[in-house]
Amino acid sequence: MTAHEVPQTLMVEGFRTRQSYGFAGLSKTTTMVAAVALVAEGIVGTQAPVTLLFTLPATLVVLGLAAARRHGMSALAYYWAKLSWRRAARVEATSYRRLLLPHPYALDLPGVGASSTLIKAHDPTTGKSVGVVHDRATGRMTVTTLLAPGGSLMAPTGSVQSSLRTWSSVLDAMSTDDQIKGASVTIQITPGAGEALGDDVKARQDPHAPALAKQIVTELVRTTPHATASVAPWMSVTVDPSEAANPPTDLAEQVAEAIKVVDSLDLSGTGTDIERRATDIDLRRLVRSAYDPSVFNARDADFEDLSWAECGPQAADDGWEEYAHDGGVSVSWVLREMPRRPIPYSVLLPLLAPGRFQRRITLAYRVLDPYEGEAVLEREISNAHQRAEATAQVKGRAKWSQRADAQRAERAAARVASGSQVADWTLMVTVTARSTADLAAARQELERAVKATRGIRMRSAFGAQAAVFAAGLPLGYNPLVKD
């Protein structure tokens, strides 16, 4: 067995992109809009035929852009997003500068984190403090759990299978709890964390040790900062306390309800060890060190007096393909397409391997309830068969890719009928360079890591760099959770 081979029982599949049914590669909504526009142009053209010389070519150009693809999305959506970003950049709406203003919440975090605030709560079950992020706009609460870094590459096949089944049970619990709106799992790898280890070894070194032992330890201390990385995994769960049977009205009761819901999720047996619930100091450290990686290894005392707004950037510029902020420049990519073949459970390992630059890998989830999941798959099956039938009527037979897509939709429906759950999910990766000069190297490192996964296709988060950057932090923002 080679390094890239795993047992067939540890291969996973079932990934599929939602596709609506429309004409000539268009979505259902775009097809209906196009039909209405053409009918309207025809009615107007009967009275003023000259107008067709202008309206008909413009409509055809728009439909052509909507049908064409660019970076995995419609060319119309891509160019419209770029036009919107340029218009926002022209009025400096993509730039942020923190100012001291005599107004409540004037120093809040920028962008998608603007409505969030940090609450320090007390967990009576553990007797320790817990940091809860409250979204003042929606009322939702986000509780973050710090996980212990580990892995299952050396574990027996049976143990890995058991962990996968247990994680499936966790997703099942999310699907049947109306209060849980979404969750995300983030792993942050910060290189060069060996300085703290070197200081610890130096303080514990025995002055009477043999010279050879001292020499070896000194050499390890010298090379460790270039060979190690600090791994910080965490899981954030977004809860809506108002969905409870008896909705709490007081803020303290809402926080208690959110903590109780998160405590009901049992992660034991998933192959993940829970370290503890993240405190307010932990959340400040994670957010502040993302904007300024140089403070990641600072003492807890350095974060105790920071306000939630001070954890954000002093200044930031949201570019089309990069995000400049305190202490560095970041590049964020999002999932474009998963492989259509079975893939090993360790497919993300190249993304998790340490490199020269800080990297965050985030998996965001929204588990559909059983009825919604069944309805979605039935609709996907109908759309897949309709696309195949339409192609067969035009070309004499359906494409093999269309037949295979219909079969994948049917297999997914069969799994759901057997008790599996349907989950909307996405993958986001952010890499941070300390200076603009290192940006090209950071981007190249990310490209190589994505290619090493052998099948996962990702693209830059065009015009949404700041939002994707924030989605990987415990700010209470999950792009899959809709208002």
Side-chain angles (χ1 to χ4, degrees):
M1 183 181 298
T2 66
H4 297 287
E5 292 179 345
V6 297
Q8 187 64 31
T9 54
L10 297 183
M11 304 293 282
V12 293
E13 59 180 339
F15 307 106
R16 188 177 179 276
T17 304
R18 290 193 190 185
Q19 300 180 20
S20 61
Y21 170 69
F23 176 76
L26 300 175
S27 65
K28 181 179 180 181
T29 302
T30 306
T31 301
M32 295 177 63
V33 172
V36 172
L38 291 175
V39 170
E41 289 177 1
I43 296 175
V44 174
T46 58
Q47 303 297 325
V50 180
T51 59
L52 295 177
L53 297 176
F54 304 95
T55 59
L56 190 58
T59 302
L60 294 178
V61 169
V62 172
L63 293 179
L65 290 175
R69 311 297 295 176
R70 185 168 176 80
H71 299 292
M73 67 183 85
S74 71
L76 180 62
Y78 174 83
Y79 289 116
W80 180 260
K82 194 164 190 176
L83 179 64
S84 301
W85 176 83
R86 286 182 174 177
R87 185 169 59 249
R90 191 177 299 113
V91 298
E92 298 183 351
T94 58
S95 299
Y96 170 80
R97 301 294 183 270
R98 188 150 61 91
L99 301 174
L100 180 59
L101 299 176
H103 189 277
Y105 311 128
L107 295 181
D108 280 347
L109 300 177
V112 295
S115 61
S116 67
T117 186
L118 179 62
I119 299 175
K120 181 179 180 180
H122 177 76
D123 188 356
T125 58
T126 61
K128 300 180 180 179
S129 62
V130 177
V132 179
V133 177
H134 177 217
D135 190 329
R136 297 187 298 268
T138 62
R140 300 191 183 105
M141 306 279 183
T142 300
V143 180
T144 299
T145 303
L146 301 183
L147 308 176
S152 56
L153 293 179
M154 302 297 292
T157 300
S159 299
V160 178
Q161 289 178 315
S162 176
S163 298
L164 293 175
R165 287 192 296 267
T166 306
W167 180 248
S168 176
S169 300
V170 174
L171 296 180
D172 182 55
M174 291 183 183
S175 69
T176 55
D177 194 329
D178 295 335
Q179 293 181 268
I180 299 179
K181 298 303 180 182
S184 63
V185 178
T186 300
I187 300 178
Q188 178 172 281
I189 302 101
T190 304
E195 290 86 349
L197 178 61
D199 294 341
D200 182 64
V201 171
K202 185 177 180 180
R204 298 168 59 186
Q205 187 174 357
D206 187 355
H208 304 291
L212 179 60
K214 290 183 179 180
Q215 182 180 354
I216 294 176
V217 170
T218 302
E219 182 65 17
L220 288 174
V221 169
R222 186 182 66 82
T223 59
T224 291
H226 306 284
T228 63
S230 174
V231 181
W234 64 84
M235 179 178 181
S236 298
V237 180
T238 301
V239 178
D240 189 352
S242 63
E243 294 288 340
N246 297 313
T249 56
D250 183 72
L251 181 61
E253 294 178 355
Q254 294 175 1
V255 172
E257 181 70 19
I259 295 177
K260 182 177 68 174
V261 171
V262 175
D263 286 341
S264 66
L265 293 177
D266 186 10
L267 298 181
S268 60
T270 60
T272 301
D273 294 329
I274 296 178
E275 185 175 331
R276 54 185 166 81
R277 297 281 182 241
T279 64
D280 57 316
I281 296 178
D282 294 327
L283 297 181
R284 292 190 185 99
R285 177 190 296 275
L286 293 176
V287 175
R288 183 58 199 153
S289 63
Y291 290 103
D292 187 3
S294 62
V295 303
F296 180 80
N297 293 311
R299 298 184 301 271
D300 288 347
D302 297 332
F303 298 97
E304 288 181 355
D305 297 330
L306 283 182
S307 66
W308 186 236
E310 291 174 329
C311 296
Q314 298 286 339
D317 293 297
D318 189 7
W320 178 246
E321 292 190 62
E322 67 279 333
Y323 181 51
H325 50 82
D326 299 350
V329 185
S330 295
V331 175
S332 296
W333 284 22
V334 295
L335 181 65
R336 174 176 172 177
E337 185 181 9
M338 286 295 292
R340 300 178 183 179
R341 53 177 172 77
I343 58 177
Y345 76 101
S346 57
V347 67
L348 295 181
L349 188 60
L351 288 173
L352 301 175
R356 289 179 53 196
F357 307 97
Q358 185 186 72
R359 190 186 304 166
R360 274 192 312 281
I361 300 91
T362 300
L363 282 169
Y365 298 90
R366 186 180 76 88
V367 187
L368 281 60
D369 66 72
Y371 297 104
E372 182 183 1
E374 182 179 358
V376 167
L377 287 177
E378 289 295 334
R379 185 165 58 248
E380 289 297 306
I381 292 174
S382 299
N383 292 339
H385 283 290
Q386 288 173 357
R387 285 192 300 272
E389 291 175 1
T391 303
Q393 292 176 0
V394 175
K395 297 185 177 181
R397 67 173 180 84
K399 297 180 181 178
W400 283 108
S401 59
Q402 293 175 332
R403 296 180 182 178
D405 183 65
Q407 292 174 358
R408 286 196 299 270
E410 291 175 352
R411 286 197 298 268
R415 293 191 186 97
V416 170
S418 300
S420 299
Q421 301 300 326
V422 180
D424 281 340
W425 70 280
T426 188
L427 174 66
M428 298 169 285
V429 181
T430 298
V431 60
T432 300
R434 296 296 181 91
S435 64
T436 306
D438 294 331
L439 185 60
R443 197 190 304 272
Q444 185 181 55
E445 182 180 276
L446 178 58
E447 290 176 355
R448 289 175 177 173
V450 173
K451 290 180 180 178
T453 61
R454 298 187 176 186
I456 296 180
R457 303 180 66 186
M458 302 190 72
R459 63 169 176 82
S460 177
F462 299 111
Q465 291 289 320
V468 177
F469 182 93
L473 301 176
L475 297 176
Y477 170 68
N478 189 322
L480 300 180
V481 178
K482 308 300 181 181
D483 294 336

